[in-house]
């Protein structure tokens, strides 16, 4: 017998024959995950830039760079997934506007430009200072990055601040739009019971904020340990408030969505029940387990008014839990939705490939890239607001030589 | 102007100047192949054993030729037709010659996960309120036939007490409000004036959003071409006045095809003389494949 089971997704019950070839794989799991991290990190950076909440000031610029680096790589999972990646721009050149996906190029492009602009305005003073402090090629690069605008007068800095603030203000609805839109791509499909929900954009958005805050917490703690700088208690408390709010609301809405589905109990609800108990039960346990852990931890930290080292440890853990929980949630939505057959009389069990174009290996590489980019960008544009000295050179050609 | 608008504008131009079959990428498909399709089980076997695994299928060179230089059909005007199909489930015997003919005619990938048409078997065992459903893609059927390219149902209900059983042929419904067209981000898939939903395989980016959106599971993805695939009612045949391959080979007349603009066409008579139903009407897609003899269990 020839390659019968080569790429057949195993199934039980009855599924349409074409469904055994999974359309959207693990790459489409990490795409909303990465854009979610962007949205969350951006919200943190705006809390200082827009609302002037000073406790977020120490990490505001770092969160902004985090958002930028993740945004750069957000479209890459989609490109790896496309059957004809060289035609990707067809959707931008001739967008078919009835498609929820057609606006992606515009939304993502707009948001990327906005982030680049905001970064430039937020870092311009530093770029100018570094162009003067550094010598050699790095001095030249900073000179180019300043785009010839080296005015550091109070008036010029005030304009920088104002423009960055306005961009940040535009960025909040843009970030929400970008991510709510990803939720819409799934929620608007009437074909799939597991996706077709009006709450989907809201769930995507809120869980994005949760995972993004988690990312900023985790990175802030790790980076501070490496830099041997103190972790500011007030900042951690601020992150705790955002984290608690995010986790609490997203859990309520996710719970409501499942409750609604079961209460409506449309045709095929038994299969939905079997999906949760079957192919995605591990994912569901991770998603809800991690969320409950994050909720309980942040609640306890608030009630017990915890500060200092214990706050850092437990908030770090709950941040990490939130990142893992939201990743599991993306899996449960994207893969789970396809594991539930359109016939509503069958279930498929997806097994990811390890190597290949659409594989876990690709996912791993794409997931590492934003962190690597962030490391490089923070070397180029130190976000910590420290005084720029000539000897604190990051890329010093003389040192390298 | 989007590509969709351009296509709508272009539809006024006689087809001779359109690269219509190029859009389909199926221009060079041979009408003659269908003649022997009823007995094609042997032909398939011969092709497999002979010159490579799928010798009768279009190779990449032929495909490229079909796309770049499609045959011209000067006398066809798509404004004059409104194609539709009827499926009489009470006549279907589940012989699967339609599947076989479709795969040959349209160079569909030969594995069980890619189908432009398929047949579902519904079996009510005695005392059961629900039907057991399977299709040729069921691993047991493939194991029994010994190959994915031998289209057979197994005989698993031989010793069971069957209360009721029937077959339902499935294919693209060429909907009036197609979800696949709605979600296509580039407009590469579009609704033609004469009914079928077509795919411009030279413009499709392969995002598979259409595969997700089709309520009927009628779309698949051609990995080797990186684009979406679906039934187009053998557009290269119907524009020449022929029937789709599946209709042509059906030995019981279970599938009926024709022009709704012609009140005496087989499909117009089929719709007029029967109480017809469509699949999943609640989706709002308004399918153009009309069924007789559907059951509550049909998905």
């Amino acid at each position: 017998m020839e390659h019968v089971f080569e790429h057949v997704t195993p199934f039980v019950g009855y599924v349409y024959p074409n469904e055994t070839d999974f359309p959207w794989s693990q790459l489409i799991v990490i795409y909303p995950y990465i854009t979610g991290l962007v949205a969350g990190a951006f919200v943190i950076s705006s809390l200082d830039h827009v609302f002037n909440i000073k406790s977020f000031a120490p990490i505001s610029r770092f969160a902004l760079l985090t958002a930028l680096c993740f945004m750069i790589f957000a479209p890459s999972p989609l490109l790896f997934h496309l059957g004809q990646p060289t035609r990707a721009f067809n959707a931008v050149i001739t967008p078919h506007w009835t498609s929820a996906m057609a606006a992606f190029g515009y939304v993502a492009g707009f948001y990327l430009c906005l982030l680049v602009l905001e970064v430039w305005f937020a870092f311009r003073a530093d770029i100018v200072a570094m162009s003067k402090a550094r010598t050699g090629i790095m001095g030249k690069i900073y000179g180019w990055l300043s785009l010839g605008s080296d005015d550091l007068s109070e008036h010029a800095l005030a304009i920088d601040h104002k423009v960055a603030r306005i961009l940040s203000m535009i960025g909040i609805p843009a970030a929400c739009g970008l991510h709510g839109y990803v939720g819409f791509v799934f929620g608007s499909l009437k074909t799939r019971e597991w996706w077709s929900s009006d709450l989907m954009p809201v769930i995507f958005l809120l869980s994005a904020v949760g995972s993004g805050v988690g990312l900023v917490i985790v990175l802030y703690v790790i980076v501070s340990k490496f830099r041997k700088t103190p972790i500011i208690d007030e900042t951690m408390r601020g992150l705790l408030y955002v984290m608690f709010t995010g986790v609490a609301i997203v859990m309520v809405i996710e719970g409501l969505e499942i409750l609604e589905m079961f209460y409506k109990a449309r045709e095929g609800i038994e299969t939905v029940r079997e999906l949760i108990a079957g192919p995605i039960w591990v994912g569901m346990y991770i998603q809800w387990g991690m969320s409950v852990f994050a909720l309980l931890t942040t609640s306890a930290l608030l009630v017990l008014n915890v500060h200092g080292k214990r706050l850092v440890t437990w908030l770090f853990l709950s941040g990490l839990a939130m990142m893992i929980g939201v990743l599991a949630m993306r899996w449960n939505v994207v893969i789970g939705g396809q594991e539930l057959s359109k016939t509503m009389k069958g279930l498929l069990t997806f097994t990811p490939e390890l190597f290949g174009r659409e594989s876990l290996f690709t996912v791993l590489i794409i997931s590492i890239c934003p962190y690597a980019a962030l490391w490089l960008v923070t070397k180029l544009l130190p976000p910590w607001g420290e005084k720029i000295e000539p000897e604190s050179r990051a890329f010093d050609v003389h040192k390298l030589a | 102007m989007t590509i969709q608008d351009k296509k709508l504008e272009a539809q006024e131009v006689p087809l001779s100047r359109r690269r219509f079959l190029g859009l389909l990428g199926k221009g060079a498909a041979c009408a003659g192949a269908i003649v022997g399709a009823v007995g094609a089980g042997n032909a398939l076997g011969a092709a497999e054993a002979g010159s490579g695994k799928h010798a009768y299928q279009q190779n990449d060179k032929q495909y490229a030729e079909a796309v770049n230089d499609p045959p011209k059909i000067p006398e066809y005007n798509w404004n004059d037709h409104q194609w539709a199909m009827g499926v009489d489930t009470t006549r279907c015997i589940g012989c699967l010659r339609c599947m076989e003919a479709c795969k040959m005619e349209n160079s569909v990938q030969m594995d069980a996960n890619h189908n432009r048409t398929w047949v579902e078997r519904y079996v009510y065992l005695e005392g059961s309120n629900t039907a057991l459903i399977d299709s040729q893609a069921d691993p047991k059927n493939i194991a029994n036939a010994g190959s994915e390219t031998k289209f057979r149902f197994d005989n698993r209900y031989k010793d069971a007490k069957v209360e009721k059983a029937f077959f339902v042929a499935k294919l693209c419904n060429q909907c009036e409000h197609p979800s696949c067209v709605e979600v296509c981000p580039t407009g590469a898939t579009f609704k033609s004036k004469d009914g079928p939903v077509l795919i411009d395989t030279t413009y499709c980016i392969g995002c598979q959003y259409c595969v997700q959106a089709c309520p009927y599971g009628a779309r698949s993805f051609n990995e080797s071409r990186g684009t979406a695939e679906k039934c187009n009612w053998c557009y290269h045949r119907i524009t020449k006045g022929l029937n789709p391959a599946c209709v042509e080979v059906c030995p019981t007349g279970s599938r009926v095809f024709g022009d709704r603009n012609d009140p005496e066409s087989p499909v117009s008579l089929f719709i007029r003389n029967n109480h017809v139903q469509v699949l999943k009407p609640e989706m709002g897609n308004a399918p153009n494949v009309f069924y007789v003899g559907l059951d509550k269990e049909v998905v």
Side-chain angles (χ1 to χ4, degrees):
Chain A
M1 193 160 66
E2 54 189 280
H3 59 285
V4 179
F5 303 108
E6 197 173 296
H7 37 225
V8 176
T9 311
F11 62 89
V12 291
Y14 179 67
V15 306
Y16 291 129
N18 291 340
E19 281 188 291
T20 47
D21 196 19
F22 247 60
W24 288 353
S25 67
Q26 57 274 8
L27 283 171
I28 309 299
V29 174
I30 59 157
Y31 158 64
Y33 184 60
I34 292 178
T35 55
L37 295 175
V38 174
F42 189 83
V43 165
I44 295 298
S45 87
S46 341
L47 287 174
D48 170 46
H49 283 153
V50 180
F51 303 109
N52 221 7
I53 304 174
K54 280 296 149 209
S55 54
F56 292 100
I59 50 160
S60 164
R61 295 204 305 176
F62 178 67
L64 184 62
L65 290 184
T66 308
L68 176 67
C69 292
F70 278 79
M71 190 60 215
I72 290 169
F73 290 96
S76 54
L78 297 184
L79 284 175
F80 273 97
H81 171 258
L82 287 187
Q84 292 282 354
T86 53
R87 296 181 194 165
F89 278 98
N90 285 7
V92 181
I93 302 162
T94 55
H96 184 226
W97 289 117
T98 60
S99 168
M101 213 184 259
F104 171 77
Y106 293 99
V107 176
F110 170 77
Y111 193 59
L112 189 61
C113 292
L114 189 119
L115 278 172
V116 170
L117 273 179
E118 192 181 337
V119 165
W120 190 77
F121 278 103
F123 283 87
R124 194 187 66 90
D126 292 18
I127 293 171
V128 172
M130 282 187 284
S131 73
K132 289 178 178 156
R134 302 283 154 82
T135 53
I137 191 159
M138 286 317 292
K140 276 196 183 131
I141 289 176
Y142 283 117
W144 294 329
L145 282 179
S146 70
L147 303 177
S149 165
D150 60 354
D151 184 359
L152 289 186
S153 65
E154 245 176 60
H155 177 65
L157 292 180
I159 292 176
D160 279 357
H161 186 71
K162 197 174 169 185
V163 174
R165 189 174 177 206
I166 291 169
L167 287 170
S168 201
M169 279 171 72
I170 301 169
I172 295 173
C176 295
L178 175 73
H179 209 69
Y181 166 70
V182 176
F184 182 78
V185 166
F186 290 93
S188 61
L189 274 189
K190 60 189 172 191
T191 317
R192 296 208 180 271
E193 181 70 8
W194 193 237
W195 291 348
S196 178
S197 162
D198 301 340
L199 290 174
M200 203 51 94
V202 186
I203 290 174
F204 264 65
L205 188 56
L206 290 169
S207 56
V209 173
S211 64
V213 178
L215 172 74
V216 172
I217 293 170
V218 167
L219 286 177
Y220 179 50
V221 172
I222 291 176
V223 171
S224 300
K225 291 283 175 208
F226 270 97
R227 296 177 68 241
K228 296 190 175 64
T229 47
I231 296 166
I232 299 159
D233 202 60
E234 207 188 330
T235 306
M236 288 305 267
R237 290 291 294 182
L239 289 166
L240 170 63
Y241 301 148
V242 183
M243 178 81 160
F244 171 77
T245 316
V247 180
I249 300 177
V250 79
M251 281 184 73
V252 170
I253 305 229
E254 279 174 1
L256 273 177
E257 199 221 354
I258 292 185
L259 182 71
E260 221 178 75
M261 198 180 286
F262 281 106
Y263 199 81
K264 281 180 191 162
R266 283 195 284 237
E267 195 183 347
I269 191 68
E270 309 80 28
T271 324
V272 176
R273 204 169 284 136
E274 280 168 29
L275 170 77
I276 294 170
I280 58 166
W281 73 272
V282 177
M284 288 304 264
Y285 268 101
I286 295 174
Q287 177 189 339
W288 286 92
M290 291 292 170
S291 303
V292 168
F293 173 80
L295 182 69
L296 291 180
T297 313
T298 48
S299 307
L301 291 173
L302 283 171
V303 171
L304 303 173
N305 201 16
V306 178
H307 289 266
K309 215 171 172 184
R310 277 207 305 169
L311 172 66
V312 172
T313 311
W314 286 103
L315 194 57
F316 176 82
L317 288 177
S318 53
L320 200 60
M322 201 55 202
M323 285 178 71
I324 298 168
V326 172
L327 181 59
M329 176 258 178
R330 302 289 191 247
W331 178 279
N332 295 339
V333 170
V334 176
I335 300 297
Q338 299 171 86
E339 287 180 325
L340 179 64
S341 168
K342 289 174 185 174
T343 63
M344 295 303 275
K345 287 181 193 289
L347 287 175
L348 299 115
T349 307
F350 175 70
T351 314
E353 272 180 42
L354 288 181
F355 296 100
R357 190 171 65 133
E358 276 196 60
S359 65
L360 288 179
F361 182 70
T362 318
V363 166
L364 185 72
I365 298 291
I366 294 175
S367 304
I368 291 170
C369 284
Y371 295 97
L374 183 61
W375 180 75
L376 282 173
V377 169
T378 50
K379 291 282 176 198
L380 187 69
L381 302 171
W384 306 107
E386 285 152 0
K387 208 178 161 220
I388 291 154
E389 308 272 2
E391 54 269 22
S392 68
R393 293 163 182 163
F395 293 124
D396 192 329
V397 283
H398 304 294
K399 263 189 199 168
L400 286 174
Chain B
M1 181 186 273
T2 66
I3 191 165
Q4 192 75 1
D5 298 332
K6 281 178 192 161
K7 279 171 189 146
L8 288 174
E9 193 183 67
Q11 72 203 6
E12 304 307 329
V13 182
L15 203 72
S16 58
R17 276 185 279 143
R18 301 263 303 124
R19 296 173 58 201
F20 226 132
L21 299 180
L23 298 176
L24 294 167
K26 296 292 171 275
C30 48
I34 217 63
V35 175
V38 177
N42 297 333
L44 277 169
E48 264 179 86
S51 47
K53 202 160 49 178
H54 308 311
Y56 48 84
Q57 286 200 290
Q58 262 186 337
N59 61 33
D60 288 346
K61 201 177 152 204
Q62 288 168 325
Y63 173 73
E65 275 173 21
V67 170
N68 294 326
D69 188 23
K72 313 289 185 283
I73 312 165
E75 62 275 12
Y76 185 77
N77 184 344
W78 73 355
N79 291 308
D80 297 342
H81 305 277
Q82 201 55 56
W83 303 112
M85 189 178 272
V87 177
D88 187 347
T89 64
T90 60
R91 282 170 172 258
C92 182
I93 56 172
C95 66
L96 302 181
R97 291 318 98 197
C98 48
M99 269 187 91
E100 195 170 62
C102 174
K103 290 237 180 190
M104 290 175 73
E105 178 68 19
N106 295 296
S107 303
V108 182
Q109 285 156 289
M110 291 307 288
D111 60 276
N113 314 309
H114 299 84
N115 302 278
R116 291 187 176 198
T117 185
W118 66 95
V119 177
E120 291 163 356
R121 171 168 65 178
Y122 291 80
V123 176
Y124 282 81
L125 296 180
E126 256 182 33
S128 175
N129 285 324
T130 53
L132 297 165
I133 316 167
D134 69 319
S135 72
Q136 179 263 345
D138 189 299
K140 279 188 200 164
N141 289 330
I142 295 167
N144 181 61
S147 164
E148 284 169 286
T149 58
K150 290 195 174 69
F151 304 91
R152 301 274 185 279
F153 278 110
D154 67 1
N155 208 2
R156 70 181 73 170
Y157 300 111
K158 195 170 62 178
D159 302 321
K161 293 200 168 169
V162 174
E163 195 164 270
K164 175 168 80 170
F166 54 94
F167 297 97
V168 178
K170 294 281 185 78
L171 68 162
C172 173
N173 285 277
Q174 320 290 359
C175 310
E176 279 306 295
H177 312 297
S179 309
C180 52
V181 171
E182 184 184 26
V183 302
C184 177
T186 62
T189 189
F190 59 99
K191 177 90 179 151
S192 66
K193 260 291 182 84
D194 45 356
V197 173
L198 307 175
I199 303 172
D200 182 345
T201 54
T202 62
Y203 208 74
C204 171
I205 61 174
C207 67
Q208 302 190 56
Y209 201 13
C210 56
V211 181
Q212 299 285 13
C214 175
Y216 307 101
R219 283 187 172 239
S220 62
F221 184 67
N222 188 328
E223 284 87 358
S224 58
R225 286 172 193 161
T227 54
E229 281 244 358
K230 69 181 273 299
C231 161
N232 50 38
W233 281 344
C234 289
Y235 201 71
H236 56 286
R237 289 174 57 85
I238 61 174
T239 47
K240 291 182 198 132
L242 300 166
N243 270 331
C246 57
V247 177
E248 191 76 25
V249 299
C250 181
T252 62
S254 170
R255 294 185 186 230
V256 178
F257 185 79
D259 188 352
R260 291 195 74 180
N261 285 352
D262 171 8
E264 296 307 314
S265 73
V267 80
S268 295
L269 292 172
F270 181 84
I271 293 168
R272 200 187 313 146
N273 297 335
N274 290 294
H275 292 176
V276 292
Q277 286 171 286
V278 291
L279 296 169
K280 295 188 182 180
E282 72 280 4
M283 288 288 167
N285 283 31
N288 275 313
V289 176
F290 300 91
Y291 284 85
V292 163
L294 287 183
D295 186 87
K296 73 172 177 66
E297 286 291 288
V298 174
V299 287

